[in-house]
Amino acid sequence: MTERTPLLHYRLSTSVNESPPGCPPVGHTEEQLQLPASPRRKSPHPQQPQKLSTFFGVVIPTLLSMFSVVVFLRIGFLVGQCGLYQAIAMFLVAYFIISMTVLSVCAISTNGALDAGGAYYMISRALGPEFGGSIGIMFFLANVCGSALFVLGLVEAIVATFGVPEDGVVASSSYQVLPAGYWWSLLYGTGVLLLCLLVCLVGAHIYAKATFLIFLVVMFVLGTIFVSFFAVRPRTIALPGPVMPSPAANGTGPGPVTTANFTGFKLDTLLGNLGADYTVDYTTGNMMTFATVFAVMFNGCTGIMAGSNMSGDLKSPSYSIPRGTITAVIFTFIIYNLLSLLVACSCDRVLLQRDYSFLRDINVWNPFVTVGVYSSTLSAAMSNLIGASRILYALARDDLFGKVLSPAKRTSRSGNPWVSVLISWFLVQLVLFSGKLNTIASIVTIFFLLVYAAVDLACLALEWASAPNFRPTFRYFTWHTCVLGIVGCAIMMFLINAIYASASIAFMLLLLLLIHYLSPTSSWGYISQALIFHQVRKYLLMLDVRKDHVKFWRPQVLLMVSNPRSSVGLITFINDIKKSGLYVLGHVQLGDLNTLPSDPLQSQYDSWLSLVDHLNIKAFVNLTLANSVRHGVQHLLFISGLGGMRPNTLVLGFYDDCPPVDKLTDAPPTSQFIDTFSPSQDPEEQPSLFHFASLRGSADTKNSGEFGDGKVLGPEEYVAVIADAMKMLKNVALARYFTDFDRAQALSPPASSGKKAVYVDVWPVNLLRPDSSSYVDTCSLFLLQLACILNMVRAWRKARLRLFLCVEEGRSLKGSKEKLGQLLKELRIKAHVYPVPWDQQVALHWQRQGGAGRKDADEDKEKRRAEEEEEENEDDYVNSFPSNATRVSDEYLAAVNRLILDQARPPPAVRFLYLPRPPADTRRYTTYLRQLDLLTKDLGPTLLIHGVTPVITTDL
């Protein structure tokens, strides 16, 4: 079951999970269920993992993660440095930033079924595997380092309370008995981490019970703190000694302050704590500023994803995550502001600035606050550890990193990803060896902010894409809130540490590129496709065909492909000649939908799109079903494209008897297709990349086709297709001898030829009409334009254009060359003009005409009159050739063919010839096609081109 059928998958899973305990699944009897499926007998009713409610799964983890130690150790620091006004302003700004992200989380989580992985799952399914994988790895590392940080913080708190002083000072109390030092701290940290590991290994249900007990303890301690402000009388509190020597302690001024006052509720105390008074932090010796204090305070607000990380363990993630997260955010905001107000009303400014653990000293019983610090830190460590394991499990299930993370997919019978828990525990243990993590603490916060910004970006992209299936039940958000969330997170990242923020973004982009090029294609759906569709539709509506101008003309090509196996050379060549225009590969399959059970074309699109990817061309694919090739081409000419992007040029392969050659037989599959196969599959057994029919003339198609040798198209119908395209005012090009065309070989002539130059030959004269040598009509200028476009392509930029001008001796060769040179100069086309005398060839034509005139003297007069009327009708067509062209002799055509070959020294890579309009009389179609065949025989890659619309201008 893939995610291409999410609704079906959802209905099946819910129907199985919601079936009564005593009822077997649908479609199975009790006898069937009792049959052993393996040598090891399995229970017919596997144990279902216990799911968590909103309160236990979201509210409690989020509350404890947001409180952590900030509520106990940083409230005094915040008010003492910033004052009450700025402290409340900081809380408003910080909670405004995280509230914007909370709104995005609520919107995404209520837009469908949410699986394990939390923020990673939301981002990956919205922005694609690249963003999701890179952000997921960073979120995983942030949780790992965050868990280590809280473990070390707990160890430091334990050692500070129960540890023996390291500097030789006599212990001040009898309970300071624990040895101190790096290795002892590492041992204590390992023990605490093992406790977290045991809880997480048992499962999310035990974790929820443990966090609930911790939650009760923390709430009880908070209650005692609020009571203490009212119950404890004013007192004097001894301050801890400063790390840095006091500037006043120089022997001349008063000594350092050693005591401070808890005054109780007094107006003077409140007035003294209203304004800011930034000073040196006594624990680090650094001068505090608004930015540094804000960064410290904001660390306590980065736990909003703790509930989302448990999405795979919740009964109803779409219901629980919005309600639980919003409840936790509002509750912590109220508690923080109430504590700030109570602290400002009752504590001296010196006490707030010089003793961050003053809440313990003013509590009704001092150990309460110590227990609260221990409990909140332990819960935060467990929350980060179990969150990291869930993210790793989600990454492993999505196979973004191949076999590297495959062991992390294993789960227990109750659904607990125990391998992911062990891997996360091992990485946290490694981080513990680094000891002090003040530097990593800033990086962890920045990683969290980057994740929040990515969630906002995912919600913004979904909103801007205007996809009908994005209809979350939570509607209290707009794209403005998403933008504000992104901007707020970005500002906070650079406010905390600009260097670390830049490095984190660079690391994310590196991961994004690695996943983009190395991971297999996913079936999650890409938001980029929805955004592109939204923008393309908007711009297509703005592309007005009534505003087209010849100055901005570009070729928009419909290439009709009978079988791609023999058309690789032509497909790649036309890709060069399109000049950033529309390029459509068209194919007609003969058939009648009335007689078929389903549309046979739907299953072929994947092969055609794979061909486009394999050849690295920029083309669309358009297939049609018709009862004849002619009708199919008409369909495609009518319906291909959209709005102002419609084909204006039809390219056909030449109708001849040359046997096709399969150029896709040895085509190696590209990496993006290999990745879709199973790793254990034998390469020889892998399905072929292309599923195209065999070429005509092969063993299985030799006798097929209406016209023999596998052909399904007759010569008359082929010419009729050309005539139809011209009636529809489409330019037409016939491509011959491109079966063996190889661009790399054509652009690298052999060294034996003596010259390394590559040539493109252009013959802008209608060679089937020797009585006219005009080279300034619409068709001739179209030839020049296409040749110039080919010369502008990077691969063909070094090719030289050779323009051959057919002239008779009676005319001035020099004058014709100068006129054509002046025209090329005005058209900004760089080409070498070569006058070619063709008197002998023209003489052959007129000799044939004279003999035919004497022979026709005895014909019936009415028949001649009918021919004359037909000639007059033919003259009504633009660029049509009169009936004397139908009597062009084979000797004349062979002579012109030799003339073209004789001028090719060295031979060109490709030739452009003038294609005359087909005759009006359909009975002459076969003769017309035979003349083209004689004219282009053995010329190598050749394009016969007929233009019907002006495409070139000399105006600015």
Side-chain angles (χ1 to χ4, degrees):
M1 186 72 63
T2 68
E3 292 187 24
R4 294 183 183 275
T5 57
L7 182 61
L8 180 61
H9 175 66
Y10 172 74
R11 292 182 63 183
L12 287 175
S13 60
T14 52
S15 64
V16 171
N17 293 334
E18 294 175 2
S19 58
C23 299
V26 177
H28 295 275
T29 62
E30 293 184 5
E31 291 78 5
Q32 289 174 324
L33 289 174
Q34 291 173 358
L35 291 176
S38 61
R40 180 179 179 180
R41 186 179 181 85
K42 294 184 179 180
S43 172
H45 302 292
Q47 180 182 357
Q48 292 294 328
Q50 294 177 315
K51 298 293 185 178
L52 305 178
S53 63
T54 302
F55 183 72
F56 286 97
V58 182
V59 176
I60 291 178
T62 307
L63 275 177
L64 294 178
S65 296
M66 295 187 72
F67 276 150
S68 63
V69 295
V70 174
V71 70
F72 299 111
L73 300 180
R74 287 296 180 263
I75 287 294
F77 164 79
L78 177 64
V79 178
Q81 296 287 347
C82 303
L84 182 62
Y85 288 155
Q86 288 193 14
I88 293 176
M90 283 186 179
F91 280 123
L92 288 173
V93 172
Y95 272 81
F96 175 78
I97 292 174
I98 66 171
S99 296
M100 298 300 101
T101 302
V102 168
L103 295 180
S104 299
V105 170
C106 295
I108 297 177
S109 62
T110 59
N111 189 50
L114 198 62
D115 209 341
Y120 159 72
Y121 190 86
M122 299 179 193
I123 297 170
S124 61
R125 268 46 178 188
L127 298 182
E130 295 88 356
F131 261 104
S134 57
I135 292 293
I137 287 292
M138 298 181 73
F139 200 25
F140 168 71
L141 295 177
N143 277 276
V144 166
C145 295
S147 181
L149 279 172
F150 288 119
V151 168
L152 286 174
L154 177 58
V155 169
E156 288 181 2
I158 293 174
V159 171
T161 306
F162 300 103
V164 176
E166 294 184 73
D167 51 6
V169 179
V170 179
S172 59
S173 61
S174 60
Y175 50 77
Q176 289 183 313
V177 295
L178 293 178
Y182 170 76
W183 292 106
W184 285 106
S185 296
L186 181 62
L187 177 63
Y188 303 149
T190 302
V192 172
L193 186 58
L194 280 174
L195 176 62
C196 298
L197 172 65
L198 291 176
V199 173
C200 295
L201 275 179
V202 175
H205 195 63
I206 300 300
Y207 162 77
K209 290 181 178 179
T211 53
F212 178 64
L213 293 177
I214 295 175
F215 171 75
L216 293 178
V217 172
V218 171
M219 289 299 104
F220 176 76
V221 173
L222 272 177
T224 63
I225 290 174
F226 278 106
V227 170
S228 299
F229 282 110
F230 298 92
V232 176
R233 295 181 179 180
R235 64 176 62 176
T236 301
I237 298 172
L239 300 177
V243 176
M244 302 296 293
S246 174
N250 53 10
T252 59
V257 179
T258 58
T259 60
N261 298 319
F262 171 71
T263 64
F265 291 102
K266 284 189 177 181
L267 182 60
D268 292 339
T269 305
L270 175 62
L271 294 177
N273 288 328
L274 290 179
D277 182 20
Y278 293 102
T279 183
V280 176
D281 179 12
Y282 78 93
T283 61
T284 61
N286 298 327
M287 184 66 187
M288 293 292 99
T289 62
F290 180 88
T292 54
V293 176
F294 190 45
V296 172
M297 183 276 301
F298 195 80
N299 286 329
C301 303
T302 55
I304 58 174
M305 288 295 184
S308 301
N309 290 343
M310 303 297 295
S311 57
D313 300 296
L314 299 174
K315 291 179 181 177
S316 177
S318 299
Y319 176 87
S320 299
I321 289 176
R323 289 164 176 80
T325 306
I326 292 175
T327 301
V329 169
I330 294 175
F331 183 79
T332 55
F333 179 74
I334 294 173
I335 294 296
Y336 279 142
N337 282 278
L338 278 178
L339 277 178
S340 300
L341 179 61
L342 294 176
V343 165
C345 292
S346 60
C347 297
D348 192 357
R349 175 63 67 95
V350 177
L351 175 64
L352 299 179
Q353 292 178 342
R354 295 287 305 278
D355 187 4
Y356 297 156
S357 59
F358 73 98
L359 289 177
R360 180 183 58 191
D361 299 324
I362 68 171
N363 200 273
V364 291
W365 191 52
N366 293 359
F368 277 154
V369 175
T370 303
V371 172
V373 171
Y374 293 172
S375 301
S376 61
T377 310
L378 181 64
S379 69
M382 280 195 298
S383 174
N384 279 269
L385 180 61
I386 198 168
S389 66
R390 271 30 180 194
I391 297 167
L392 182 63
Y393 173 63
L395 284 167
R397 282 205 315 175
D398 288 339
D399 285 327
L400 294 183
F401 299 92
K403 296 182 179 179
V404 177
L405 297 180
S406 57
K409 298 179 186 178
R410 297 183 181 179
T411 61
S412 63
R413 294 185 63 186
S414 62
N416 185 37
W418 60 274
V419 177
S420 297
V421 174
L422 288 176
I423 295 174
S424 303
W425 164 80
F426 177 74
L427 293 178
V428 174
Q429 184 65 55
L430 289 180
V431 177
L432 288 181
F433 280 98
S434 61
K436 306 295 182 181
L437 292 178
N438 293 332
T439 301
I440 298 181
S442 299
I443 298 179
V444 169
T445 304
I446 289 172
F447 275 16
F448 277 122
L449 286 170
L450 202 57
V451 173
Y452 300 164
V455 172
D456 287 319
L457 180 62
C459 188
L460 177 66
L462 290 169
E463 178 70 10
W464 275 356
S466 299
N469 281 322
F470 182 64
R471 44 179 184 269
T473 56
F474 182 88
R475 294 302 305 168
Y476 301 102
F477 77 99
T478 65
W479 68 268
H480 304 86
T481 61
C482 302
V483 171
L484 288 174
I486 295 171
V487 172
C489 291
I491 292 175
M492 277 307 307
M493 285 168 54
F494 286 92
L495 195 64
I496 293 172
N497 194 307
I499 296 177
Y500 292 160
S502 303
S504 301
I505 294 174
F507 179 58
M508 181 197 72
L509 294 176
L510 177 62
L511 287 174
L512 189 148
L513 291 175
L514 287 175
I515 296 174
H516 176 74
Y517 288 106
L518 299 180
S519 69
T521 303
S522 72
S523 60
W524 306 337
Y526 292 82
I527 190 64
S528 58
Q529 296 297 308
L531 290 172
I532 291 170
F533 177 88
H534 186 70
Q535 293 301 110
V536 167
R537 181 194 62 86
K538 181 171 69 175
Y539 288 119
L540 272 176
L541 291 172
M542 296 170 61
L543 191 60
D544 193 345
V545 293
R546 295 168 296 184
K547 298 179 182 178
D548 282 348
H549 194 278
V550 66
K551 288 191 298 184
F552 307 112
W553 180 90
R554 65 182 72 232
Q556 305 196 79
V557 182
L558 170 62
L559 172 62
M560 296 305 303
V561 180
S562 174
N563 194 322
R565 295 189 178 278
S566 60
S567 307
V568 173
L570 180 58
I571 293 173
T572 55
F573 178 76
I574 300 300
N575 184 65
D576 287 339
I577 214 172
K578 71 180 188 302
K579 185 55 180 175
S580 303
L582 178 67
Y583 184 20
V584 180
L585 298 181
H587 174 72
V588 179
Q589 179 166 330
L590 299 182
D592 186 358
L593 199 58
N594 287 331
T595 62
L596 296 172
S598 63
D599 183 6
L601 302 178
Q602 297 302 320
S603 60
Q604 300 181 20
Y605 272 100
D606 284 345
S607 292
W608 282 86
L609 295 176
S610 300
L611 175 73
V612 170
D613 293 334
H614 174 71
L615 298 179
N616 194 25
I617 61 175
K618 298 177 181 178
F620 299 96
V621 175
N622 215 341
L623 313 179
T624 188
L625 187 70
N627 55 7
S628 69
V629 175
R630 181 181 181 182
H631 288 163
V633 176
Q634 289 177 1
H635 295 169
L636 294 178
L637 287 174
F638 277 126
I639 66 173
S640 290
L642 199 63
M645 295 187 65
R646 293 186 178 277
N648 55 29
T649 304
L650 174 68
V651 180
L652 303 169
F654 197 80
Y655 191 94
D656 55 20
D657 295 324
C658 295
V661 180
D662 192 345
K663 294 295 183 180
L664 287 179
T665 303
D666 300 324
T670 55
S671 60
Q672 59 179 324
F673 300 105
I674 294 177
D675 290 334
T676 60
F677 301 140
S678 172
S680 61
Q681 193 173 3
D682 188 358
E684 295 182 359
E685 298 177 359
Q686 291 177 354
S688 60
L689 181 59
F690 308 111
H691 300 279
F692 299 120
S694 302
L695 294 172
R696 60 180 177 87
S698 59
D700 52 348
T701 62
K702 195 158 189 178
N703 297 321
S704 63
E706 183 180 349
F707 299 92
D709 200 20
K711 290 183 179 180
V712 295
L713 180 69
E716 294 85 359
E717 187 179 2
Y718 175 80
V719 180
V721 170
I722 301 173
D724 291 342
M726 294 181 185
K727 291 176 185 178
M728 300 166 67
L729 296 182
K730 307 293 183 184
N731 309 299
V732 179
L734 309 182
R736 189 174 192 188
Y737 297 121
F738 277 90
T739 301
D740 296 320
F741 179 80
D742 185 352
R743 187 179 71 171
Q745 184 178 355
L747 295 176
S748 302
S752 58
S753 61
K755 293 184 179 181
K756 295 184 178 181
V758 178
Y759 295 99
V760 176
D761 287 359
V762 182
W763 294 77
V765 178
N766 187 352
L767 297 175
L768 293 190
R769 190 172 177 180
D771 58 330
S772 174
S773 58
S774 173
Y775 51 83
V776 291
D777 63 355
T778 300
C779 187
S780 299
L781 295 179
F782 186 78
L783 257 74
L784 295 176
Q785 179 78 323
L786 285 189
C788 180
I789 289 174
L790 181 65
N791 198 207
M792 294 168 68
V793 178
R794 178 177 298 177
W796 293 84
R797 196 162 291 169
K798 294 183 179 180
R800 300 179 184 178
L801 297 185
R802 296 190 300 192
L803 195 58
F804 294 97
L805 180 60
C806 296
V807 295
E808 299 181 38
E809 289 184 355
R811 301 183 181 181
S812 172
L813 296 178
K814 186 176 181 181
S816 301
K817 181 178 179 180
E818 290 179 353
K819 288 181 180 179
L820 186 55
Q822 182 62 30
L823 175 64
L824 294 175
K825 184 177 180 181
E826 292 177 359
L827 298 177
R828 291 92 60 203
I829 297 176
K830 186 178 180 181
H832 299 280
V833 180
Y834 296 92
V836 179
W838 68 330
D839 295 81
Q840 297 180 0
Q841 290 77 16
V842 173
L844 286 174
H845 169 69
W846 292 118
Q847 289 175 9
R848 165 72 176 178
Q849 292 295 309
R854 289 189 297 271
K855 185 176 181 180
D856 293 341
D858 299 332
E859 291 184 356
D860 185 72
K861 291 183 179 181
E862 291 186 3
K863 184 177 180 181
R864 293 187 62 183
R865 189 181 302 115
E867 290 180 359
E868 290 172 0
E869 292 176 357
E870 188 175 351
E871 290 175 17
E872 293 176 0
N873 293 334
E874 289 178 4
D875 289 338
D876 293 338
Y877 291 93
V878 181
N879 296 330
S880 64
F881 58 95
S883 59
N884 67 338
T886 63
R887 294 193 293 270
V888 170
S889 65
D890 293 351
E891 293 81 3
Y892 164 76
L893 293 171
V896 174
N897 178 262
R898 286 193 300 271
L899 175 69
I900 296 174
L901 288 172
D902 291 341
Q903 304 302 319
R905 297 291 183 270
V910 65
R911 287 182 175 87
F912 289 72
L913 299 186
Y914 190 114
L915 174 66
R917 181 182 285 272
D921 187 357
T922 57
R923 294 170 297 179
R924 300 178 182 174
Y925 280 178
T926 306
T927 303
Y928 168 78
L929 188 58
R930 186 175 61 83
Q931 291 172 347
L932 297 179
D933 177 60
L934 292 173
L935 179 65
T936 58
K937 186 177 182 180
D938 299 328
L939 290 187
T942 302
L943 277 184
L944 286 159
I945 300 170
H946 185 90
V948 298
T949 55
V951 297
I952 205 164
T953 180
T954 58
D955 295 337
L956 182 61

